[in-house]
Amino acid sequence: MEAATLSGRTALVTGGAGGIGAAICRELAARGARVLVADIDQAGAERLSKGLPDATAYRVDLDDQEDITALAHAVTEQFGSVDILVNNAGISTVQRFLESDPGTWDRMWRVNLRAPMLLSRLLLPGMVERGWGRLIYISTDGARAGAGGESIYATCKAGLFGLAKTLAREAARSGVTSNVICPGLIDTPMLQHVRDGQPGVVDALLRSVPMRRAGEPEEVAALVGHLATDLAAYTTGQTISVSGGVTMA
């Protein structure tokens, strides 16, 4: 089905080297998109890009405003346009709010919220000019339901809701959609690390999931792929959870 393909489209994915980001890159590539894999892990981005039919790796430090600007300029100079921007990257420190160090807050907001804002500001004008674009923000179900031990991360990722909905309104007549995906408990290397160190914690989290299992990165990526296509041209300003039923709204 032609509307389900992304042939001729260019997609930039931040945090694309591993976990959910890598699954998103593979999904978009499978739909025919040229994929730009952006990650602070340059070696990982290069390994992934070499296994995709049409992909390029970029190193970017999302804590550095100049690095973000350089990335946006590099991809537009090389390819002329970015049609799909997937703001997937994120960092978190697990601490209860009253035990958290305010000195660590700024970096989390810069990476988790400021970076998506900057990339959107730099790349959205081209989408508006061409009359087609997709802004997709990967948040977290914890930003919708609360997340014990991840208050700062959840707060920053919740900021994406306001950004995405506002841009959905402002860019709707230009053929640009803007949506948020909120993954729940997903089976990534990070979850495996927690399971190895604190198996009881993961078991307790799984009991809170109606489906009684963790999600797969590909299940998040599949939704990204759909939202990027013309099949989702009438879907904008939405916040969608992929959480096995933890959040139902």
Side-chain angles (χ1 to χ4, degrees), residues 34 88 117 132 154 182 203 214:
R34 172 190 293 122
N88 165 74
M117 293 174 70
W132 198 97
C182 293
D203 291 342

Side-chain angles (χ1 to χ4, degrees), residues 8 13 35 41 73-74 76-78 84 86 96 103 106 152 165 170 172 179 197 207 228 247:
V13 181
V35 179
D41 177 9
H73 288 167
T76 52
E77 285 178 10
Q78 187 169 356
I84 302 158
V86 183
R96 295 179 65 83
D106 285 351
I152 311 306
K165 290 177 184 293
E170 292 184 354
N179 294 286
R207 286 194 293 271
T247 300

Side-chain angles (χ1 to χ4, degrees), residues 138-185:
I138 308 300
S139 180
T140 171
D141 216 44
R144 302 186 77 182
E150 290 190 315
S151 55
I152 311 306
Y153 177 70
T155 299
C156 296
K157 286 289 191 175
L160 296 175
F161 302 164
L163 175 63
K165 290 177 184 293
T166 299
L167 296 183
R169 293 188 182 277
E170 292 184 354
R173 294 186 182 182
S174 299
V176 179
T177 66
S178 176
N179 294 286
V180 182
I181 296 174
C182 293
L185 197 65

Side-chain angles (χ1 to χ4, degrees), residues 190-203:
M190 183 180 295
L191 182 66
Q192 293 287 356
H193 178 73
V194 174
R195 179 182 283 120
D196 291 342
Q198 299 174 292
V201 171
V202 174
D203 291 342

Side-chain angles (χ1 to χ4, degrees), residues 27 31 136 138 180-182 217-229 232 235 239-242:
E27 172 71 21
R31 290 178 179 265
I136 301 172
I138 308 300
V180 182
I181 296 174
C182 293
E218 291 74 17
E219 291 174 303
V220 179
L223 180 55
V224 173
H226 171 71
L227 290 174
T229 69
T235 302
T239 300
I240 308 169
S241 286
V242 182

Side-chain angles (χ1 to χ4, degrees), residues 10 31-32 42 61 87 100 114 128 134 159 183 195 206 230 245:
T10 298
R31 290 178 179 265
Q42 184 173 2
D61 181 357
N87 288 287
S100 66
R114 187 186 69 168
V128 170
R134 299 289 183 265
R195 179 182 283 120
L206 287 173
D230 285 333

Side-chain angles (χ1 to χ4, degrees), residues 53-68:
D54 186 3
T56 305
Y58 293 89
R59 185 193 182 280
V60 63
D61 181 357
L62 295 177
D63 191 22
D64 186 330
Q65 185 169 346
E66 291 184 0
D67 226 29
I68 294 169

